[in-house]
Amino acid sequence: MRASGFPFLVPMLALSVAFFALPLALLFAYSFAGETGPSLENYARFLGDPFNFRVLLNTARLGFETVLSTTLLGIPIALLFWHSGQRTRQVIIFLTLIPMLTSNVVRTFAWIVILGRQGPISETLMALGLTGAPISLMFTEFGLILAMTQIDLPLIILPLVAILSRLPRNLTEAAEVSGAGPWRVMVTVLLPLMVPALLAGWILVYASTSASFVTQAVIGGARNVYVPQLIYREVGTLFDWPLASAIAVVLLFTTGILLLALSMLSRHRRLVGHG
Amino acid sequence: MARVSSNPLPALLYKLFVFGFGTLCLAFLVAPIALALATSFTGGQTLKFPPEGFSLRWYEALLDPVRSSTEHIAAFNSLKIAALAVLGALLFAVPAAIGASRVGRRTANSVEPLLLSPLVLPSLVYGLAALIVANLIGIRPSLWLTVAGHIVVFGPLMYRAVAVVAQGLDPSLEEASTLMGASWLTTLRRVTLPLLLPGILAGAFLVFIQSLDNVSISLFLADPSTTVLPLRMFALIEEGLDVRVAAMSGILIVVVLIGLLIGRRALGKSQTS
């Protein structure tokens, strides 16, 4: 029985190697293509331009800020899940899946309505008298982070919920009986148990945010440019594929280092317990 | 449950934090979707919230074969690509998931990173890589190339959904079937596949939804005359916010809601584990 499974794996492994790993290797090779043989000129051209360098930093910052805000909103939802009964738990999962499975373009569209001049934010601020004229949060980094936070929030909630639903409900009883208040229980018992799920969520959120082409293009606008738009511009309008490849490799490399660090953390036994 | 402490304030604040702030965060997560749905019923000419009056005019405009022929073609292309992507995922990922459950944990763990890596790679980067290869071997961007890209990138979703179920399968069920004299094909058809069905359905739903939504692969791999739905919506949004986008969003939201309600059990399982 044990050996009989391998042939079943072969078609998909072949597909992954031929249509995934090989193209990526080729992209990597392409990024070194110069006028006269292999060179680093594409990288020099990309990183040498202060504008591009700022775009790279902006993309990383957008990723970090979204990771931070999804964490701040994800933990209260996870705690709400922990303290709820079975039915409410199902409702929370259901409400998390709706936005996650809804088209990215649709979610971005929803934020255009919300952030726009005639949207609820502007109208509320006007009604409160905080602003005289309608305001728009479109094409601002703040608006983009707001949208990215909502769009990526499920990616951090689902791992949290997965871990919490496996924990026994009387887990915190010992701490409570010995007199620990709810805040203390949260900090000393619940949060440490959430760490592996948080690490998994951070990886997903960062990877998703730094590559969310549509949302960045529409809500960030022309003033807030991120790496994916640079890649698209080089491919679609400037036809400079070697440069586009170099940018893609830089994006993968910067994201990869971060993800590697996070996944190494998640293997650290003392940090994540023995779960 | 908590013991009454001398100072009830921290406990009260905690309740407020979890049940008050937690609910607010949950509302923040869902409200934009509800709002997009509500906006699609506006009677007005602009995207305004709260919407002006209630009307189905934008849905009518969207369904009108004359006014929205481009959108219809885009939707048809997207449905075709998504259906073929699901078919491809079934052919490649389901056997792989069954195989992985039989080769032992160690072997499965060593091949899984390769099988699952398309899920973490930005699909824009993959689109570019695939475009470079296609160009080198002389294949022009086309609907079929897009389908191939979608199978590679979204097949892992099917793999993951089915592998979770296959992992928990009791091997003695298959052994019993074989001992009773059933051929391996009969066992596969009558025992293994029915047991895996929840995972397969969840996987198919995920692949379908993701394929329908993908912009970055189609951006590079579809030929310019083959419009797909999300790209058409993207174009409509960039050109100046046609309210028909709201109606399109409304339809897509309802499709997801129906899919979720039908497959609530199966999806809940594969997502949380």
Side-chain angles (χ1 to χ4, degrees), chain A residues 31-32 39-50 52 243 246 250:
Chain A
S31 70
F32 294 102
S39 77
L40 286 170
E41 64 182 81
N42 298 314
Y43 291 93
R45 263 162 71 208
F46 173 58
L47 294 172
D49 186 337
N52 291 341
L243 185 60
V250 171

Side-chain angles (χ1 to χ4, degrees), chain A residues 158-207:
Chain A
L158 289 174
L160 281 173
V161 156
I163 277 199
L164 289 180
S165 62
R166 281 200 285 267
L167 297 176
R169 304 199 60 111
N170 53 11
L171 177 84
T172 53
E173 255 170 35
E176 279 154 7
V177 168
S178 43
W183 290 102
R184 208 185 157 93
V185 171
M186 177 185 99
V187 173
T188 57
V189 183
L190 291 176
L191 284 185
L193 285 166
M194 287 184 195
V195 170
L198 284 175
L199 291 170
W202 290 341
I203 291 175
L204 296 173
V205 170
Y206 187 88

